[in-house]
Amino acid sequence: MQVEDPLQSLLWGPGINLAYFSHILVWLEQGSSLTFVHETASPTEEAGQTLHAGIVELHVGDGANLRFVELQSWGEHVWNFSHERARVSRDGNLDWIFGAVGTHLTKNFSDLDLVGEGSTGRMSGFYFTDGVQHLDHDTQQNHLAAHTTSDLLFKGALKDRSRSVWQGMIYVAPGAQKTDGYQANRNLTLSPQARADSIPGLEILADDVRCTHVQPWGRSILSRCST
């Protein structure tokens, strides 16, 4: 089934001294196509704090195509923790877009599992921080089948005393030959006290792959093994 118009969901969480728990499940069957936009948001409250704990599960079937956009604009009194996982089957395609501008602190785990031969996943993220915000993204690109492709690019701008952390790993399983994986994180610090940490990583257990990451200072590290 091809859904032409995008679907949208919104979690609106006003108030203080509260806890919000969310679970988003998007499941695409074989050959289907969908754009889904999910937003979490609230005003900033001055007198207290609020917790959000969320789970996102994405399933992309054989030959299916999903564009999943998630926008985080919580108030700056919110502590936000989320764990997200996507599974892409044979010849499926996932375009996963992250946007983050809110919260006092965010810790986000995002796992992309390419489980079918010929599957493709793209992870694109942007964020902007100010004040004493702290945004922490931990990403995993797991190549679990042959002829899979992943591409990750996160970009951020920081000011005041805010901080960002991005830690990413490309994992290539034994037998996942002809993998092509890429990851990069680029940051612009607009204040002397702002800080951005980038921690890329590769774990390659196959011998015919091409995996690249870009160091924070701009130099590309290429790991290429061919039989």
Side-chain angles (χ1 to χ4, degrees):
M1 182 176 67
Q2 311 294 318
V3 179
E4 299 295 335
D5 295 328
L7 302 181
Q8 183 175 11
S9 62
L10 169 64
L11 172 57
W12 175 250
I16 60 172
N17 303 325
L18 300 171
Y20 292 98
F21 301 93
S22 64
H23 188 171
I24 301 297
L25 173 62
V26 181
W27 189 285
L28 266 65
E29 295 289 355
Q30 180 177 351
S32 57
S33 178
L34 173 68
T35 295
F36 192 99
V37 180
H38 176 61
E39 182 177 3
T40 54
S42 74
T44 293
E45 308 280 1
E46 301 293 339
Q49 298 178 332
T50 290
L51 168 71
H52 170 251
I55 295 175
V56 172
E57 295 181 86
L58 309 176
H59 173 83
V60 181
D62 292 351
N65 185 18
L66 172 63
R67 174 176 292 166
F68 184 74
V69 183
E70 52 181 303
L71 304 174
Q72 183 270 104
S73 53
W74 286 111
E76 293 189 18
H77 67 297
V78 176
W79 296 66
N80 177 46
F81 302 90
S82 58
H83 198 159
E84 308 176 353
R85 169 157 286 174
R87 291 175 57 86
V88 186
S89 301
R90 185 183 184 91
D91 295 325
N93 179 73
L94 172 63
D95 190 2
W96 199 353
I97 301 169
F98 304 79
V101 296
T103 74
H104 176 73
L105 179 143
T106 284
K107 178 61 179 180
N108 173 265
F109 295 93
S110 301
D111 297 339
L112 170 64
D113 294 342
L114 300 172
V115 300
E117 188 169 345
S119 57
T120 300
R122 182 183 300 108
M123 305 172 79
S124 306
F126 67 88
Y127 46 87
F128 180 80
T129 62
D130 60 9
V132 294
Q133 286 182 279
H134 185 141
L135 302 184
D136 188 325
H137 291 91
D138 192 313
T139 64
Q140 209 47 57
Q141 297 156 257
N142 298 316
H143 294 260
L144 306 176
H147 298 277
T148 54
T149 302
S150 70
D151 188 352
L152 179 146
L153 175 60
F154 273 48
K155 291 185 175 182
L158 304 91
K159 60 183 293 189
D160 302 327
R161 300 181 62 87
S162 63
R163 182 178 179 186
S164 73
V165 179
W166 169 80
Q167 181 169 339
M169 177 65 70
I170 296 176
Y171 170 76
V172 181
Q177 308 294 3
K178 304 298 183 181
T179 282
D180 190 351
Y182 175 82
Q183 59 181 196
N185 177 221
R186 306 183 189 278
N187 296 289
L188 178 64
T189 53
L190 303 174
S191 303
Q193 296 83 14
R195 175 176 171 178
D197 293 309
S198 302
I199 311 169
L202 302 173
E203 184 178 354
I204 301 172
L205 303 179
D207 60 6
D208 189 1
V209 305
R210 183 181 186 275
C211 296
T212 312
H213 66 245
V214 177
Q215 298 283 48
W217 51 87
R219 183 165 63 93
S220 295
I221 304 298
L222 173 65
S223 297
R224 186 165 192 168
C225 307
S226 300
T227 55

